[in-house]
Amino acid sequence: MIAGQDVSSATSPLPRGVRRAMDAMRANVGHNWRLTELAAIAGVSGRTLQRQFLAFVGKTPRAVLREIGFECARRELLQGADAKIMDVALRCGFPHCGRFSIEYRRRYGETPSQTLKRQAVFTASLAAMPSLFVPARDRPAVAFGPIEASAENLEVAADIADDLVSALTRAGTSVATRPGAVRYLLTGAIRGSGAEARLTFRLIDTETGSQLWAHRADGILHDETTTGEHLAVRIAAALQPCLRMAEIDRALRKPATCLNAHDLALRAMPGVLSLDADGNARALELLERAMDEDPNHPLATALAAWAHVQRVVYHFTHEPLEERARSLELAHKARALCGDATVLAVLGNALTLLKEFDTADLVIRKALAIDGGSAWAWSRSGWLDVYKGNPQSAIERFKIALDLAPHDPLAFNSMVGIGCAHFNAGHYAEAANWQERALIEHPSASWVHRTMCPAYVLAGQGPQARRSLSALRQHYPDLTVSEVQGGMPPLPPSQCDLVVGALQEAGLPA
């Protein structure tokens, strides 16, 4: 189920009723939800639901719906140069376009039309990028037939199915109409009608018969302004991590004598995504084998470029210059090879850490132009904004990534990014809170303490700062301030100075 990222920064688990109500709001953003409708979906009284929203989210259901509406509108305007502002406003629950534009400007510091114009500037640059080619054999294949529905819902079911096929294809998945030799089967059904209608999907492994993934959205048919396209993007985005892990599992179970370059790249991917030293070392060994097998394999080359620069940024090496040079060489090669949205997002990660910001920006925008539901590309665009010193825009983009794929292996890195963005904005306690959340999700990412400890120092929380520094030195006993400076991601100079000064104050050796 796509629960969506909480619009607040609260860390308490949401009650089931609140989650179900927010699922319904996100699945049908344009509908003017009444409290009684949401309470019926949540299975509690209206008063109870109102109280739970205030206690766990910090806002009323009505306020949350407005937040979700603006998130949706912002995402559409960032993605679509051809979007019509009035249509976007209506789809996202704002019938008065003038009021929408005023509030949008207050929130984001620019009008909706300025957002569209700013995004359109990059169209010519995107067109100059290499054309995409991903061999069909490297694409995961899913069989997907008609969505099961009653006679009254057959038309909307067909529309949703068509939109989902397009979204899956953009995300790099081959879609077949019959199972045949295809390993994965995606089934869909619409049950009920009106406000009670719910849409369910299940992904089945045809070899084992096991269910790999399921999704449910309530109330999808109640509002005529809802479009299946945006629902399809969300479903495809939520499906990707599960499908990716299933493909990795398939590669892991293949006999060692039968592995091709793509299998080896898939086997390496968890290690690259782990962002820890052991995973990185395992991944590079597999990626070298993949590139020996096929020197022009896009995914293997892009992953290797990212893995090599990880060794510099996260202090996994004593030879940073050599690792950075190898990463740069591979990144330029990967860009010439190109690939799908996933390959481009991976390449964007490498280019960003190599401080090739302009190229990284183009690559990530190309990834989003191909697949607007790529959580990895949205997250990397957030990091680019962090490095450019645009914290509010960065937070928006990280939250889009978390909203699209909250259970993705890289979701924790978006939380780290939100923490860094808050640090840049001078919100140090909030920065530390988000990075604590990231460490809970991914405890081995001990490098997070490089910015979490300074956040605690600057927030005046001495005991937490000392605890954080102790954890950092436990994993990097020989780490010095100068090494942190040499390996830090490319934060704005003023932020680097704050980090360094705070680490020195906390007691890290020079």
Side-chain angles (χ1 to χ4, degrees):
M1 179 186 295
I2 304 175
Q5 183 67 14
D6 188 356
V7 294
S8 77
S9 61
T11 59
S12 302
L14 294 178
R16 181 181 180 185
V18 173
R19 291 200 309 272
R20 294 183 68 178
M22 291 180 68
D23 282 349
M25 287 191 281
R26 289 187 182 279
N28 196 343
V29 178
H31 177 55
N32 184 21
W33 288 96
R34 297 191 302 272
L35 183 61
T36 53
E37 293 177 304
L38 293 172
I41 289 171
V44 298
S45 70
R47 182 173 295 181
T48 297
L49 186 64
Q50 185 98 340
R51 185 173 64 250
Q52 288 179 341
F53 263 82
L54 288 170
F56 288 89
V57 185
K59 297 181 175 70
T60 65
R62 172 63 59 183
V64 169
L65 182 60
R66 283 181 62 79
E67 292 288 330
I68 290 172
F70 275 107
E71 288 175 8
C72 178
R74 177 70 168 173
R75 185 183 311 138
E76 282 200 46
L77 293 170
L78 285 170
Q79 290 178 217
D82 297 326
K84 293 183 179 179
I85 295 169
M86 183 177 293
D87 292 342
V88 171
L90 285 172
R91 277 198 298 271
C92 297
F94 303 102
H96 194 293
C97 191
R99 293 174 187 166
F100 164 75
S101 295
I102 291 170
E103 176 64 13
Y104 183 96
R105 182 174 185 175
R106 187 189 69 78
R107 287 169 176 260
Y108 303 115
E110 61 184 6
T111 65
S113 60
Q114 286 172 329
T115 300
L116 287 176
K117 289 176 182 177
R118 179 164 50 82
Q119 296 300 92
V121 168
F122 291 88
T123 301
S125 298
L126 293 176
M129 297 261 314
S131 60
L132 300 173
F133 175 72
V134 181
R137 68 178 184 275
D138 289 345
R139 290 174 172 260
V142 173
F144 177 48
I147 295 174
E148 183 183 342
S150 61
E152 64 179 306
N153 293 330
L154 282 177
E155 184 176 352
V156 69
D159 289 343
I160 292 173
D162 288 344
D163 289 330
L164 184 54
V165 169
S166 297
L168 289 169
T169 303
R170 289 195 301 270
T173 301
S174 296
V175 182
T177 56
R178 297 179 181 177
V182 174
R183 182 178 177 190
Y184 306 107
L185 172 64
L186 182 64
T187 64
I190 296 176
R191 298 281 187 261
S193 60
E196 302 300 319
R198 66 181 183 277
L199 174 67
T200 58
F201 285 99
R202 290 181 175 83
L203 183 68
I204 308 297
D205 186 325
T206 58
E207 291 183 2
T208 64
S210 60
Q211 178 175 294
L212 301 175
W213 172 86
H215 163 82
R216 170 176 166 171
D218 295 308
I220 61 161
L221 308 179
H222 196 62
D223 187 2
E224 294 182 357
T225 64
T226 299
T227 65
E229 181 181 356
H230 300 101
L231 179 64
V233 168
R234 294 181 58 80
I235 293 169
L239 176 60
Q240 289 310 303
C242 174
L243 193 57
R244 189 181 302 119
M245 289 308 299
E247 285 290 280
I248 290 169
D249 181 64
R250 177 194 60 78
L252 289 170
R253 291 193 283 110
K254 286 183 71 171
T257 55
C258 300
L259 298 175
N260 59 27
H262 192 65
D263 295 324
L264 290 164
L266 288 173
R267 284 189 169 201
M269 189 176 285
V272 179
L273 300 183
S274 71
L275 305 188
D276 64 42
D278 291 340
N280 178 278
R282 291 192 304 269
L284 277 174
E285 181 181 347
L286 289 164
L287 291 169
E288 288 298 330
R289 289 172 56 191
M291 290 185 291
D292 285 343
E293 182 81 18
D294 180 357
N296 295 320
H297 192 274
L299 180 60
T301 307
L303 283 170
W306 188 18
H308 276 287
V309 76
Q310 282 179 9
R311 297 180 64 76
V312 180
V313 172
Y314 304 130
H315 311 292
F316 299 159
T317 180
H318 296 297
E319 300 177 334
L321 295 179
E322 291 83 348
E323 296 288 355
R324 190 179 293 275
R326 177 60 171 156
S327 174
L328 188 60
E329 174 191 353
L330 290 167
H332 287 316
K333 181 178 180 180
R335 191 184 177 205
L337 297 172
C338 212
D340 61 11
T342 296
V343 172
L344 290 169
V346 169
L347 177 57
N349 289 340
L351 289 166
T352 305
L353 297 181
L354 288 165
K355 303 183 182 181
E356 301 271 329
F357 293 137
D358 290 342
T359 306
D361 201 16
L362 288 174
V363 166
I364 292 302
R365 288 177 184 274
K366 183 104 177 185
L368 289 171
I370 297 165
D371 178 18
S374 171
W376 287 5
W378 277 111
S379 181
R380 184 46 47 180
S381 69
W383 278 109
L384 281 164
D385 275 339
V386 167
Y387 301 147
K388 292 175 184 176
N390 300 323
Q392 187 55 47
S393 177
I395 290 170
E396 291 171 24
R397 293 165 188 267
F398 286 129
K399 287 190 174 181
I400 289 172
L402 289 168
D403 175 36
L404 287 168
H407 305 300
D408 188 272
L410 277 179
F412 85 96
N413 201 38
S414 290
M415 296 179 186
V416 177
I418 292 175
C420 286
H422 279 296
F423 189 100
N424 288 5
H427 306 149
Y428 302 119
E430 189 74 356
N433 177 54
W434 274 99
Q435 300 203 341
E436 287 279 13
R437 291 176 65 176
L439 274 173
I440 290 171
E441 293 290 325
H442 197 83
S444 67
S446 50
W447 43 268
V448 173
H449 290 286
R450 294 179 308 181
T451 48
M452 191 168 78
C453 173
Y456 277 131
V457 170
L458 294 166
Q461 299 181 32
Q464 293 89 335
R466 289 189 291 274
R467 171 177 56 80
S468 180
L469 181 64
S470 176
L472 179 64
R473 299 193 68 181
Q474 180 181 349
H475 288 89
Y476 302 103
D478 301 322
L479 189 65
T480 63
V481 170
S482 61
E483 285 178 306
V484 170
Q485 285 180 292
M488 279 286 286
L491 295 170
S494 61
Q495 304 306 315
C496 287
D497 291 343
L498 282 174
V499 168
V500 167
L503 285 173
Q504 289 176 323
E505 183 179 338
L508 188 67

